[in-house]
Amino acid sequence: MSENPATPEPDIAQRTAAPESGGLEAGAHDPAGTAPRLGATAASAAVPRRGGPMFPDGTGPAADPAGSHHERRIRSFQPRRSRVSPSQADALRRLWPTWGRDIDGLSRIDLDEFFDGRPVVLEIGFGMGEATAQMAAADPDTGILACDVHTPGQGNLLGLAERNGLSNIRVANGDAIILLREMLAPGSLAGLRVFFPDPWPKKRHHKRRLIQPEFVSLASTRLAPGALVHCATDWEPYAEQMLEVLSAEPTLENLHPSYAPRPDFRPLTRFEGQGLDKGHVVHDLMFRRRP
């Protein structure tokens, strides 16, 4: 099964991604040079008791950042905030104020300021962040705005960014639709990545899939001319839906006659490898925003 978010048709939202691995210890390097540090005792204390708020002082991602500010829609996710390791909680407490952003829908994100002038690619759903970190390391001149609701994955990705000196990663917490609709300016993105969203295989759940006409139409308005839309899935019926929906969007053009060859720059994750071992066929789709 797939690991990243999915979204309903007009009720489009992001899903919690399933973890791929445990957390990594955050290293001593701070690319921004501004994040405060906690000792081991404070890191352990960052993991809350069951049922309590994880970051009661507001130093980490909120459980429901949009709250009642926006309409209630059918959602395909429930943020899972359990099983956060001490190192993940420590990374969130130290790095979130600098590299994190809650999707509250109340203000626009200045991407030039947030990413020091880099062109920015939005990645919706990143699991534990290992592939995201690899792509960021391979292309340091491009910023990656990584959006998810999975708290352990958020902490793990921030820890990977710190450990590997990756200053081009930022993490957004919450509903990707509110992010696109309310917080990103038209034409502000250099690309969009959706890798292995939840396929929602049962027919009655197909409306919860992320790649729907309404989502693609919205996302396209936030893409600059020439921006790349890259999707991947290991679920054949969903791949067919992706191809149909993306092909029907008049502002996008397919870079290939049908599915794209697997690009070298998309890392092979453990999750994808498990799917391949089960005989799943992975399809990549690559479209470009028309001028």
Side-chain angles (χ1 to χ4, degrees):
M1 297 294 289
S2 298
E3 60 180 343
N4 283 344
T7 301
E9 29 184 29
D11 314 274
I12 319 169
Q14 191 188 37
R15 177 185 72 89
T16 294
E20 291 180 18
S21 69
L24 295 176
E25 290 296 330
H29 181 63
D30 175 13
T34 58
R37 302 199 168 274
L38 294 178
T41 302
S44 301
V47 181
R49 296 180 180 178
R50 183 178 297 274
M54 180 163 292
F55 300 102
D57 53 0
T59 58
D64 184 13
S68 60
H69 303 312
H70 294 276
E71 77 282 2
R72 292 296 177 182
R73 296 179 272 108
I74 297 172
R75 309 246 183 221
S76 59
F77 68 90
Q78 287 292 332
R80 291 183 297 142
R81 303 175 69 82
S82 59
R83 294 163 49 190
V84 177
S85 72
S87 63
Q88 291 161 1
D90 177 41
L92 285 166
R93 282 197 175 276
R94 292 187 294 103
L95 303 174
W96 188 260
T98 304
W99 292 345
R101 183 70 177 263
D102 278 324
I103 302 172
D104 57 16
L106 298 178
S107 62
R108 283 267 174 92
I109 297 176
D110 185 335
L111 293 179
D112 283 339
E113 180 180 353
F114 206 28
F115 285 91
D116 302 319
R118 296 180 178 93
V120 177
V121 171
L122 173 62
E123 181 176 352
I124 300 178
F126 54 81
M128 294 303 287
E130 290 143 336
T132 303
Q134 290 181 54
M135 289 186 287
D139 186 10
D141 293 329
T142 296
I144 299 179
L145 180 57
C147 176
D148 210 313
V149 293
H150 184 228
T151 311
Q154 293 167 349
N156 201 62
L157 177 56
L158 288 175
L160 285 169
E162 180 186 51
R163 182 169 183 157
N164 293 285
L166 305 175
S167 62
N168 57 331
I169 291 176
R170 305 290 184 269
V171 176
N173 168 57
D175 187 338
I177 301 313
I178 295 176
L179 174 65
L180 284 164
R181 192 182 65 203
E182 310 290 347
M183 301 182 69
L184 297 179
S188 60
L189 293 173
L192 172 67
R193 295 170 182 162
V194 184
F195 296 155
F196 303 99
D198 193 319
W200 294 100
K202 295 181 180 179
K203 187 174 181 179
R204 68 178 183 271
H205 292 155
H206 286 183
K207 66 181 180 179
R208 296 181 177 272
R209 288 175 173 173
L210 177 61
I211 305 302
Q212 306 278 356
E214 294 83 359
F215 168 79
V216 173
S217 178
L218 169 63
S220 181
T221 65
R222 272 43 185 171
L223 298 174
L228 182 67
V229 177
H230 185 186
C231 300
T233 181
D234 65 334
W235 195 259
E236 186 81 25
Y238 198 7
E240 295 170 357
Q241 177 178 327
M242 287 180 173
L243 182 59
E244 178 182 355
V245 170
L246 291 168
S247 298
E249 172 53 50
T251 63
L252 300 178
E253 59 179 341
N254 196 343
L255 298 184
H256 300 273
S258 180
Y259 300 112
R262 187 187 185 283
D264 292 338
F265 62 79
R266 182 174 66 75
L268 178 69
T269 66
R270 281 196 293 274
F271 169 83
E272 184 179 355
Q274 291 168 1
L276 293 171
D277 290 343
K278 296 175 183 176
H280 296 186
V281 177
V282 175
H283 290 290
D284 284 81
L285 303 95
M286 302 186 75
F287 283 70
R288 181 169 52 204
R289 178 66 159 86
R290 298 182 189 274

